[in-house]
Amino acid sequence: MRENHLPTAELQALDAAHHMHPFTDGAALAKKGARIITRAKGVWLTDSDGHEILDGMAGLWCVNVGYGREELAEAAAKQMRELAFYNTFFQTSHIPAITLAKRLADLAPGDLNHVFFNGSGSDSNDTNLRMVRRYWQALGKPEKSVVISRWNAYHGSTMGAASLGGMKGMHKQGGLPIPGIAYINQPDWWSEGGEMSPEDFGLARARELEAKILEIGADKVAAFIGEPIQGAGGVIVPPASYWPEIQRICREHGILLIADEVICGFGRTGNWFGSQTMGITPDIMTCAKGLTSGYIPMGASIVSDEIARVIDGSEEFAHGYTYSGHPVAAAVALENLRILEEDGIVTRVREETAPYLKTQWEALAEHPLVGEAKIVGLMGSIALTPDKAARAKFAAKEGTVGYICRERCFANNLIMRHVGDRMIISPPLTISREEVDILIARARKSLDEGYAQAKAEGLMEAATADA
Ligand code: PXG
């Protein structure tokens, strides 16, 4: 394809001069220059220098149907011509929002039959926070307002969503969390499980919820929120004992359960929703990303009959966004869901691609730099370690070796991210077997090179236990 853009160096200079990047050390990036992606097809990105890069992260965990689907472009164009925008506020509605709400109600588990539309995952979680507090208030229990979350959870970047998240680095910047959020520990057996079996550890971590509810008082707790599998926290797969126990505790103490499905939803774990993979039926699901495969921004809160009955049955719920149910986004989401279903993508993930990738992914655990290798559906992680048997952390600053490996992946034209010293993948759900083979070969090569570099730089020292 003919390139008709400025030279890479000029684009990088303009980017550094004018573009503020999310979650980025701007000065460091300005020195190095951003990698500029110009187009994409399937699982392959092309950068401004013509490199072909395998996108092992589906953009940002979102391009579930892969890049370059004409039908999605068509759906957007058609809707823009027909009705580019109308709001859903003042007793009006439109066909894309109605059709999508019905479609999501059919797909969602249990009695999650009602949809509040948002613009992203963050503002979906803001909606959820306001909705659960309003729910209890409408039932005459306004003091039932605390939401319990987990350290190292990611629920978004707005003041509300970042407070719901348990990322201490985010809380440090700008006076977070907001009042009324409490935290328990995450179910990360590899790093925090000590001598316990994974199953015992899963139960113990779930029971921290019960202890926290009792500490605060069940009459003050509105809800618990969690990602079925933590994504941005490093793809932490909880032990099988964890989620059923969390659900039991929520039910027993009259606490609403919010499953943040922003990453796990729409096929990522081999089912439509991560909640189904984890065997739970939440009261609210947060959706975004894969809802439109990232082709256009959209978020949704899918809620139970009971919550909708209370919210819609009392005075006006004073909440909403201009773009709640945006017709173009809704039209793209509908077409995206059609593709996921009619192309059999979710089923293929569960029955073919995930089992094929799992065998090769778990074999990476034999690599000298790798401790555990975990994968559910098409979201996987590996823990890097200087000492497998001891499940040790590195003596070097957390993320040093992870960053080295990520840089090797970049150099080998594979997007595989690091979160601290965990490497993570989440490729488009349409990845073929041949592409899985390429992903694994490049990951292995990058780990070999990362290992060699870590050894050469004296980084294979384990931290002492109390470090
Ligand atoms: N919930 C979860 C579980 C997420 O993963 C959000 C909410 C917020 O969605 P929006 O659409 O507001 O970004 C997310 C987003 C990373 C990374 O570094 C992950 C996300 C966003 C940005 C970076 O892995 N997830």
Side-chain angles (χ1 to χ4, degrees), residues 22-23 57 60-61 119-125 153-158 161 225-234 260-264 286-289 297-299 417-419 424:
F23 282 99
M57 285 305 300
L60 205 47
W61 321 82
S120 71
S122 299
D123 59 29
S124 296
N125 279 324
Y154 188 77
H155 296 300
S157 264
T158 54
I225 183 167
E227 307 150 76
I229 297 168
Q230 285 158 263
D260 185 337
E261 296 272 1
V262 168
I263 286 176
C264 294
T286 320
C287 302
K289 296 195 191 272
M298 181 174 234
R417 289 249 318 280
H418 80 110
V419 174
I424 57 175

mmCIF file of all heavy atoms in Angstrom, residues 22-23 57 60-61 119-125 153-158 161 225-234 260-264 286-289 297-299 417-419 424, ligand 1:
data_model
loop_
_atom_site.group_PDB
_atom_site.id
_atom_site.type_symbol
_atom_site.label_atom_id
_atom_site.label_comp_id
_atom_site.label_asym_id
_atom_site.label_seq_id
_atom_site.Cartn_x
_atom_site.Cartn_y
_atom_site.Cartn_z
ATOM 1 N N PRO A 22 -2.017 8.625 27.570
ATOM 2 C CA PRO A 22 -2.489 8.049 28.832
ATOM 3 C C PRO A 22 -1.444 7.110 29.453
ATOM 4 O O PRO A 22 -0.734 6.416 28.709
ATOM 5 C CB PRO A 22 -3.730 7.249 28.427
ATOM 6 C CG PRO A 22 -3.875 7.352 26.957
ATOM 7 C CD PRO A 22 -2.762 8.156 26.400
ATOM 8 N N PHE A 23 -1.398 7.083 30.774
ATOM 9 C CA PHE A 23 -0.513 6.160 31.509
ATOM 10 C C PHE A 23 0.888 6.108 30.901
ATOM 11 O O PHE A 23 1.409 5.029 30.612
ATOM 12 C CB PHE A 23 -1.104 4.744 31.552
ATOM 13 C CG PHE A 23 -2.211 4.584 32.566
ATOM 14 C CD1 PHE A 23 -3.533 4.629 32.169
ATOM 15 C CD2 PHE A 23 -1.923 4.400 33.908
ATOM 16 C CE1 PHE A 23 -4.567 4.486 33.109
ATOM 17 C CE2 PHE A 23 -2.941 4.251 34.855
ATOM 18 C CZ PHE A 23 -4.264 4.304 34.453
ATOM 19 N N MET A 57 -2.279 -8.308 22.064
ATOM 20 C CA MET A 57 -3.116 -7.657 23.085
ATOM 21 C C MET A 57 -4.474 -7.199 22.542
ATOM 22 O O MET A 57 -5.227 -6.546 23.272
ATOM 23 C CB MET A 57 -2.401 -6.437 23.674
ATOM 24 C CG MET A 57 -1.281 -6.759 24.658
ATOM 25 S SD MET A 57 -1.783 -7.822 26.053
ATOM 26 C CE MET A 57 -3.060 -6.841 26.818
ATOM 27 N N LEU A 60 -6.197 -2.938 23.070
ATOM 28 C CA LEU A 60 -6.122 -2.816 24.531
ATOM 29 C C LEU A 60 -7.188 -3.762 25.085
ATOM 30 O O LEU A 60 -8.133 -3.325 25.696
ATOM 31 C CB LEU A 60 -6.360 -1.354 24.928
ATOM 32 C CG LEU A 60 -5.807 -0.816 26.241
ATOM 33 C CD1 LEU A 60 -4.353 -1.184 26.467
ATOM 34 C CD2 LEU A 60 -5.981 0.683 26.323
ATOM 35 N N TRP A 61 -7.020 -5.037 24.805
ATOM 36 C CA TRP A 61 -7.946 -6.105 25.229
ATOM 37 C C TRP A 61 -9.322 -5.949 24.568
ATOM 38 O O TRP A 61 -10.322 -6.367 25.158
ATOM 39 C CB TRP A 61 -8.213 -6.083 26.728
ATOM 40 C CG TRP A 61 -7.145 -5.793 27.710
ATOM 41 C CD1 TRP A 61 -6.681 -4.575 28.079
ATOM 42 C CD2 TRP A 61 -6.422 -6.741 28.513
ATOM 43 N NE1 TRP A 61 -5.730 -4.691 29.052
ATOM 44 C CE2 TRP A 61 -5.553 -5.994 29.348
ATOM 45 C CE3 TRP A 61 -6.438 -8.137 28.619
ATOM 46 C CZ2 TRP A 61 -4.702 -6.602 30.273
ATOM 47 C CZ3 TRP A 61 -5.598 -8.715 29.538
ATOM 48 C CH2 TRP A 61 -4.746 -7.960 30.352
ATOM 49 N N GLY A 119 -20.439 5.383 27.883
ATOM 50 C CA GLY A 119 -19.485 5.610 26.801
ATOM 51 C C GLY A 119 -18.212 4.793 26.882
ATOM 52 O O GLY A 119 -17.469 4.683 25.908
ATOM 53 N N SER A 120 -17.923 4.203 28.057
ATOM 54 C CA SER A 120 -16.670 3.478 28.244
ATOM 55 C C SER A 120 -16.796 2.587 29.472
ATOM 56 O O SER A 120 -17.826 2.597 30.154
ATOM 57 C CB SER A 120 -15.524 4.466 28.481
ATOM 58 O OG SER A 120 -15.671 5.051 29.774
ATOM 59 N N GLY A 121 -15.727 1.855 29.762
ATOM 60 C CA GLY A 121 -15.719 1.020 30.962
ATOM 61 C C GLY A 121 -15.698 1.860 32.225
ATOM 62 O O GLY A 121 -16.386 1.559 33.204
ATOM 63 N N SER A 122 -14.895 2.932 32.206
ATOM 64 C CA SER A 122 -14.798 3.780 33.405
ATOM 65 C C SER A 122 -16.153 4.377 33.759
ATOM 66 O O SER A 122 -16.593 4.314 34.912
ATOM 67 C CB SER A 122 -13.809 4.926 33.167
ATOM 68 O OG SER A 122 -12.521 4.449 32.902
ATOM 69 N N ASP A 123 -16.808 4.969 32.767
ATOM 70 C CA ASP A 123 -18.075 5.611 33.150
ATOM 71 C C ASP A 123 -19.187 4.588 33.362
ATOM 72 O O ASP A 123 -20.167 4.875 34.049
ATOM 73 C CB ASP A 123 -18.447 6.804 32.260
ATOM 74 C CG ASP A 123 -18.587 6.494 30.800
ATOM 75 O OD1 ASP A 123 -18.931 5.353 30.488
ATOM 76 O OD2 ASP A 123 -18.364 7.410 29.985
ATOM 77 N N SER A 124 -19.019 3.370 32.869
ATOM 78 C CA SER A 124 -19.960 2.300 33.241
ATOM 79 C C SER A 124 -19.822 1.995 34.728
ATOM 80 O O SER A 124 -20.823 1.793 35.437
ATOM 81 C CB SER A 124 -19.694 1.025 32.433
ATOM 82 O OG SER A 124 -19.920 1.256 31.057
ATOM 83 N N ASN A 125 -18.582 1.964 35.218
ATOM 84 C CA ASN A 125 -18.415 1.698 36.648
ATOM 85 C C ASN A 125 -18.874 2.879 37.501
ATOM 86 O O ASN A 125 -19.353 2.685 38.618
ATOM 87 C CB ASN A 125 -16.973 1.289 36.953
ATOM 88 C CG ASN A 125 -16.762 -0.185 36.635
ATOM 89 O OD1 ASN A 125 -17.662 -1.003 36.836
ATOM 90 N ND2 ASN A 125 -15.583 -0.534 36.127
ATOM 91 N N ALA A 153 -7.056 -4.291 41.685
ATOM 92 C CA ALA A 153 -8.129 -4.366 40.681
ATOM 93 C C ALA A 153 -8.016 -3.140 39.777
ATOM 94 O O ALA A 153 -7.524 -2.093 40.208
ATOM 95 C CB ALA A 153 -9.483 -4.347 41.371
ATOM 96 N N TYR A 154 -8.475 -3.254 38.530
ATOM 97 C CA TYR A 154 -8.586 -2.084 37.656
ATOM 98 C C TYR A 154 -10.022 -1.941 37.195
ATOM 99 O O TYR A 154 -10.577 -2.851 36.575
ATOM 100 C CB TYR A 154 -7.662 -2.189 36.434
ATOM 101 C CG TYR A 154 -7.652 -0.888 35.649
ATOM 102 C CD1 TYR A 154 -6.919 0.206 36.106
ATOM 103 C CD2 TYR A 154 -8.407 -0.732 34.489
ATOM 104 C CE1 TYR A 154 -6.939 1.418 35.423
ATOM 105 C CE2 TYR A 154 -8.428 0.480 33.800
ATOM 106 C CZ TYR A 154 -7.684 1.545 34.271
ATOM 107 O OH TYR A 154 -7.698 2.746 33.602
ATOM 108 N N HIS A 155 -10.616 -0.792 37.515
ATOM 109 C CA HIS A 155 -12.001 -0.556 37.091
ATOM 110 C C HIS A 155 -12.146 0.734 36.303
ATOM 111 O O HIS A 155 -13.267 1.172 36.051
ATOM 112 C CB HIS A 155 -12.934 -0.575 38.302
ATOM 113 C CG HIS A 155 -12.984 -1.908 38.984
ATOM 114 N ND1 HIS A 155 -13.403 -3.060 38.344
ATOM 115 C CD2 HIS A 155 -12.631 -2.303 40.234
ATOM 116 C CE1 HIS A 155 -13.321 -4.091 39.173
ATOM 117 N NE2 HIS A 155 -12.854 -3.664 40.327
ATOM 118 N N GLY A 156 -11.034 1.379 35.932
ATOM 119 C CA GLY A 156 -11.106 2.569 35.101
ATOM 120 C C GLY A 156 -10.386 3.747 35.723
ATOM 121 O O GLY A 156 -9.755 3.634 36.781
ATOM 122 N N SER A 157 -10.492 4.891 35.074
ATOM 123 C CA SER A 157 -9.641 6.037 35.394
ATOM 124 C C SER A 157 -10.368 7.286 35.869
ATOM 125 O O SER A 157 -9.722 8.255 36.239
ATOM 126 C CB SER A 157 -8.811 6.409 34.169
ATOM 127 O OG SER A 157 -7.546 5.818 34.271
ATOM 128 N N THR A 158 -11.696 7.319 35.816
ATOM 129 C CA THR A 158 -12.390 8.487 36.372
ATOM 130 C C THR A 158 -12.236 8.469 37.894
ATOM 131 O O THR A 158 -11.778 7.469 38.465
ATOM 132 C CB THR A 158 -13.891 8.422 36.026
ATOM 133 O OG1 THR A 158 -14.379 7.148 36.478
ATOM 134 C CG2 THR A 158 -14.131 8.541 34.534
ATOM 135 N N ALA A 161 -14.246 5.459 39.162
ATOM 136 C CA ALA A 161 -13.737 4.142 38.740
ATOM 137 C C ALA A 161 -12.339 3.886 39.287
ATOM 138 O O ALA A 161 -12.008 2.764 39.674
ATOM 139 C CB ALA A 161 -13.753 4.045 37.219
ATOM 140 N N ILE A 225 -17.369 -5.448 44.049
ATOM 141 C CA ILE A 225 -17.046 -5.421 42.618
ATOM 142 C C ILE A 225 -15.750 -6.172 42.360
ATOM 143 O O ILE A 225 -14.783 -6.047 43.124
ATOM 144 C CB ILE A 225 -16.945 -3.974 42.081
ATOM 145 C CG1 ILE A 225 -16.687 -3.975 40.560
ATOM 146 C CG2 ILE A 225 -15.858 -3.154 42.802
ATOM 147 C CD1 ILE A 225 -16.868 -2.629 39.880
ATOM 148 N N GLY A 226 -15.730 -6.968 41.275
ATOM 149 C CA GLY A 226 -14.500 -7.660 40.904
ATOM 150 C C GLY A 226 -14.508 -8.038 39.437
ATOM 151 O O GLY A 226 -15.573 -8.248 38.844
ATOM 152 N N GLU A 227 -13.332 -8.117 38.854
ATOM 153 C CA GLU A 227 -13.185 -8.654 37.500
ATOM 154 C C GLU A 227 -13.139 -10.183 37.642
ATOM 155 O O GLU A 227 -12.367 -10.688 38.471
ATOM 156 C CB GLU A 227 -11.868 -8.180 36.881
ATOM 157 C CG GLU A 227 -11.636 -6.684 36.896
ATOM 158 C CD GLU A 227 -10.142 -6.320 36.964
ATOM 159 O OE1 GLU A 227 -9.447 -6.436 35.944
ATOM 160 O OE2 GLU A 227 -9.667 -5.927 38.069
ATOM 161 N N PRO A 228 -13.914 -10.920 36.848
ATOM 162 C CA PRO A 228 -13.854 -12.386 36.954
ATOM 163 C C PRO A 228 -12.402 -12.884 36.908
ATOM 164 O O PRO A 228 -11.996 -13.715 37.708
ATOM 165 C CB PRO A 228 -14.667 -12.857 35.747
ATOM 166 C CG PRO A 228 -15.675 -11.756 35.554
ATOM 167 C CD PRO A 228 -14.949 -10.483 35.884
ATOM 168 N N ILE A 229 -11.627 -12.341 35.961
ATOM 169 C CA ILE A 229 -10.171 -12.530 35.958
ATOM 170 C C ILE A 229 -9.581 -11.133 35.853
ATOM 171 O O ILE A 229 -9.919 -10.386 34.934
ATOM 172 C CB ILE A 229 -9.723 -13.372 34.751
ATOM 173 C CG1 ILE A 229 -10.321 -14.776 34.837
ATOM 174 C CG2 ILE A 229 -8.195 -13.431 34.673
ATOM 175 C CD1 ILE A 229 -10.184 -15.577 33.555
ATOM 176 N N GLN A 230 -8.737 -10.765 36.815
ATOM 177 C CA GLN A 230 -8.132 -9.427 36.760
ATOM 178 C C GLN A 230 -7.294 -9.319 35.494
ATOM 179 O O GLN A 230 -6.450 -10.183 35.228
ATOM 180 C CB GLN A 230 -7.218 -9.217 37.959
ATOM 181 C CG GLN A 230 -7.940 -8.967 39.258
ATOM 182 C CD GLN A 230 -7.050 -9.312 40.432
ATOM 183 O OE1 GLN A 230 -7.161 -10.404 40.976
ATOM 184 N NE2 GLN A 230 -6.173 -8.411 40.817
ATOM 185 N N GLY A 231 -7.501 -8.247 34.734
ATOM 186 C CA GLY A 231 -6.749 -8.060 33.495
ATOM 187 C C GLY A 231 -5.528 -7.187 33.689
ATOM 188 O O GLY A 231 -4.397 -7.668 33.738
ATOM 189 N N ALA A 232 -5.778 -5.869 33.830
ATOM 190 C CA ALA A 232 -4.667 -4.923 33.918
ATOM 191 C C ALA A 232 -3.768 -5.211 35.113
ATOM 192 O O ALA A 232 -2.590 -4.845 35.105
ATOM 193 C CB ALA A 232 -5.212 -3.498 33.996
ATOM 194 N N GLY A 233 -4.296 -5.890 36.121
ATOM 195 C CA GLY A 233 -3.484 -6.258 37.291
ATOM 196 C C GLY A 233 -2.482 -7.360 36.996
ATOM 197 O O GLY A 233 -1.694 -7.728 37.857
ATOM 198 N N GLY A 234 -2.536 -7.928 35.776
ATOM 199 C CA GLY A 234 -1.549 -8.947 35.407
ATOM 200 C C GLY A 234 -2.139 -10.292 35.024
ATOM 201 O O GLY A 234 -1.450 -11.308 35.064
ATOM 202 N N ASP A 260 -17.135 -7.007 36.815
ATOM 203 C CA ASP A 260 -16.604 -6.093 35.795
ATOM 204 C C ASP A 260 -16.107 -6.931 34.621
ATOM 205 O O ASP A 260 -15.024 -7.524 34.665
ATOM 206 C CB ASP A 260 -15.487 -5.236 36.383
ATOM 207 C CG ASP A 260 -14.995 -4.192 35.390
ATOM 208 O OD1 ASP A 260 -15.174 -4.398 34.173
ATOM 209 O OD2 ASP A 260 -14.428 -3.175 35.833
ATOM 210 N N GLU A 261 -16.935 -6.968 33.577
ATOM 211 C CA GLU A 261 -16.700 -7.815 32.408
ATOM 212 C C GLU A 261 -16.048 -7.042 31.266
ATOM 213 O O GLU A 261 -16.107 -7.474 30.113
ATOM 214 C CB GLU A 261 -18.039 -8.389 31.912
ATOM 215 C CG GLU A 261 -18.738 -9.321 32.899
ATOM 216 C CD GLU A 261 -18.287 -10.769 32.736
ATOM 217 O OE1 GLU A 261 -17.422 -11.032 31.875
ATOM 218 O OE2 GLU A 261 -18.804 -11.619 33.486
ATOM 219 N N VAL A 262 -15.455 -5.891 31.578
ATOM 220 C CA VAL A 262 -14.927 -5.042 30.502
ATOM 221 C C VAL A 262 -13.912 -5.813 29.651
ATOM 222 O O VAL A 262 -13.929 -5.718 28.423
ATOM 223 C CB VAL A 262 -14.348 -3.731 31.078
ATOM 224 C CG1 VAL A 262 -13.532 -2.978 30.045
ATOM 225 C CG2 VAL A 262 -15.491 -2.844 31.579
ATOM 226 N N ILE A 263 -13.054 -6.601 30.294
ATOM 227 C CA ILE A 263 -12.108 -7.423 29.524
ATOM 228 C C ILE A 263 -12.672 -8.822 29.279
ATOM 229 O O ILE A 263 -12.568 -9.361 28.172
ATOM 230 C CB ILE A 263 -10.754 -7.499 30.260
ATOM 231 C CG1 ILE A 263 -10.010 -6.163 30.116
ATOM 232 C CG2 ILE A 263 -9.905 -8.655 29.725
ATOM 233 C CD1 ILE A 263 -8.699 -6.075 30.874
ATOM 234 N N CYS A 264 -13.285 -9.429 30.301
ATOM 235 C CA CYS A 264 -13.688 -10.840 30.196
ATOM 236 C C CYS A 264 -14.900 -11.043 29.285
ATOM 237 O O CYS A 264 -15.123 -12.161 28.808
ATOM 238 C CB CYS A 264 -13.996 -11.391 31.581
ATOM 239 S SG CYS A 264 -12.526 -11.478 32.635
ATOM 240 N N THR A 286 -20.476 -4.970 34.199
ATOM 241 C CA THR A 286 -19.909 -3.817 33.501
ATOM 242 C C THR A 286 -19.369 -4.303 32.162
ATOM 243 O O THR A 286 -18.577 -5.243 32.130
ATOM 244 C CB THR A 286 -18.692 -3.252 34.273
ATOM 245 O OG1 THR A 286 -18.952 -3.285 35.656
ATOM 246 C CG2 THR A 286 -18.343 -1.874 33.785
ATOM 247 N N CYS A 287 -19.761 -3.646 31.081
ATOM 248 C CA CYS A 287 -19.278 -4.043 29.760
ATOM 249 C C CYS A 287 -18.709 -2.843 29.007
ATOM 250 O O CYS A 287 -19.151 -1.709 29.191
ATOM 251 C CB CYS A 287 -20.413 -4.620 28.913
ATOM 252 S SG CYS A 287 -21.204 -6.044 29.656
ATOM 253 N N ALA A 288 -17.735 -3.103 28.166
ATOM 254 C CA ALA A 288 -17.200 -2.088 27.240
ATOM 255 C C ALA A 288 -16.344 -2.854 26.212
ATOM 256 O O ALA A 288 -16.732 -3.951 25.816
ATOM 257 C CB ALA A 288 -16.398 -1.024 27.980
ATOM 258 N N LYS A 289 -15.233 -2.314 25.825
ATOM 259 C CA LYS A 289 -14.250 -2.978 24.958
ATOM 260 C C LYS A 289 -14.875 -3.920 23.905
ATOM 261 O O LYS A 289 -15.283 -3.483 22.844
ATOM 262 C CB LYS A 289 -13.226 -3.727 25.819
ATOM 263 C CG LYS A 289 -12.386 -2.784 26.711
ATOM 264 C CD LYS A 289 -11.188 -3.489 27.258
ATOM 265 C CE LYS A 289 -10.446 -2.730 28.333
ATOM 266 N NZ LYS A 289 -9.426 -1.821 27.873
ATOM 267 N N PRO A 297 -16.256 3.724 20.669
ATOM 268 C CA PRO A 297 -16.410 3.595 22.124
ATOM 269 C C PRO A 297 -17.854 3.315 22.534
ATOM 270 O O PRO A 297 -18.780 3.910 22.000
ATOM 271 C CB PRO A 297 -15.994 4.979 22.649
ATOM 272 C CG PRO A 297 -15.312 5.667 21.525
ATOM 273 C CD PRO A 297 -15.874 5.092 20.267
ATOM 274 N N MET A 298 -18.012 2.404 23.480
ATOM 275 C CA MET A 298 -19.326 2.175 24.080
ATOM 276 C C MET A 298 -19.162 1.355 25.355
ATOM 277 O O MET A 298 -18.311 0.476 25.419
ATOM 278 C CB MET A 298 -20.254 1.424 23.124
ATOM 279 C CG MET A 298 -21.649 1.195 23.712
ATOM 280 S SD MET A 298 -22.811 0.482 22.560
ATOM 281 C CE MET A 298 -24.138 1.670 22.651
ATOM 282 N N GLY A 299 -19.966 1.648 26.343
ATOM 283 C CA GLY A 299 -20.008 0.852 27.563
ATOM 284 C C GLY A 299 -21.448 0.554 27.922
ATOM 285 O O GLY A 299 -22.376 1.182 27.392
ATOM 286 N N ARG A 417 2.542 -7.546 26.513
ATOM 287 C CA ARG A 417 2.797 -6.506 27.511
ATOM 288 C C ARG A 417 3.443 -7.084 28.755
ATOM 289 O O ARG A 417 3.429 -8.286 28.983
ATOM 290 C CB ARG A 417 1.470 -5.868 27.908
ATOM 291 C CG ARG A 417 0.828 -5.003 26.843
ATOM 292 C CD ARG A 417 0.862 -3.552 27.268
ATOM 293 N NE ARG A 417 0.533 -3.393 28.674
ATOM 294 C CZ ARG A 417 -0.699 -3.398 29.175
ATOM 295 N NH1 ARG A 417 -1.749 -3.534 28.374
ATOM 296 N NH2 ARG A 417 -0.910 -3.247 30.461
ATOM 297 N N HIS A 418 3.956 -6.185 29.611
ATOM 298 C CA HIS A 418 4.340 -6.631 30.956
ATOM 299 C C HIS A 418 3.550 -5.817 31.974
ATOM 300 O O HIS A 418 3.224 -4.657 31.748
ATOM 301 C CB HIS A 418 5.849 -6.487 31.183
ATOM 302 C CG HIS A 418 6.284 -5.089 31.533
ATOM 303 N ND1 HIS A 418 6.745 -4.731 32.774
ATOM 304 C CD2 HIS A 418 6.317 -3.956 30.799
ATOM 305 C CE1 HIS A 418 7.050 -3.438 32.783
ATOM 306 N NE2 HIS A 418 6.800 -2.945 31.598
ATOM 307 N N VAL A 419 3.183 -6.485 33.061
ATOM 308 C CA VAL A 419 2.618 -5.791 34.221
ATOM 309 C C VAL A 419 3.552 -6.182 35.351
ATOM 310 O O VAL A 419 3.566 -7.345 35.765
ATOM 311 C CB VAL A 419 1.191 -6.262 34.530
ATOM 312 C CG1 VAL A 419 0.686 -5.622 35.825
ATOM 313 C CG2 VAL A 419 0.244 -5.925 33.382
ATOM 314 N N ILE A 424 1.814 -10.603 29.718
ATOM 315 C CA ILE A 424 0.400 -10.898 29.482
ATOM 316 C C ILE A 424 0.056 -10.879 27.989
ATOM 317 O O ILE A 424 0.650 -10.127 27.221
ATOM 318 C CB ILE A 424 -0.518 -9.898 30.232
ATOM 319 C CG1 ILE A 424 -0.217 -8.448 29.835
ATOM 320 C CG2 ILE A 424 -0.365 -10.063 31.739
ATOM 321 C CD1 ILE A 424 -1.181 -7.438 30.456
HETATM 322 N N1 PXG B 1 -12.819 -2.212 33.896
HETATM 323 C C1 PXG B 1 -11.854 -3.054 33.490
HETATM 324 C C2 PXG B 1 -11.845 -4.439 34.006
HETATM 325 C C3 PXG B 1 -10.911 -2.641 32.557
HETATM 326 O O1 PXG B 1 -9.961 -3.487 32.153
HETATM 327 C C4 PXG B 1 -11.970 -0.475 32.543
HETATM 328 C C5 PXG B 1 -12.892 -0.953 33.450
HETATM 329 C C6 PXG B 1 -12.109 0.930 32.085
HETATM 330 O O2 PXG B 1 -12.530 0.979 30.764
HETATM 331 P P1 PXG B 1 -12.243 2.280 29.858
HETATM 332 O O3 PXG B 1 -13.052 1.987 28.623
HETATM 333 O O4 PXG B 1 -12.757 3.452 30.569
HETATM 334 O O5 PXG B 1 -10.764 2.352 29.649
HETATM 335 C C7 PXG B 1 -10.975 -1.330 32.062
HETATM 336 C C8 PXG B 1 -9.983 -0.803 31.070
HETATM 337 C C9 PXG B 1 -3.986 -1.938 30.732
HETATM 338 C C10 PXG B 1 -5.227 -1.149 30.522
HETATM 339 O O6 PXG B 1 -2.919 -1.326 30.926
HETATM 340 C C11 PXG B 1 -6.445 -1.726 30.769
HETATM 341 C C12 PXG B 1 -7.595 -0.973 30.614
HETATM 342 C C13 PXG B 1 -7.517 0.343 30.176
HETATM 343 C C14 PXG B 1 -6.279 0.904 29.932
HETATM 344 C C15 PXG B 1 -5.121 0.167 30.102
HETATM 345 O O7 PXG B 1 -4.032 -3.162 30.709
HETATM 346 N N2 PXG B 1 -8.797 -1.546 30.934
#
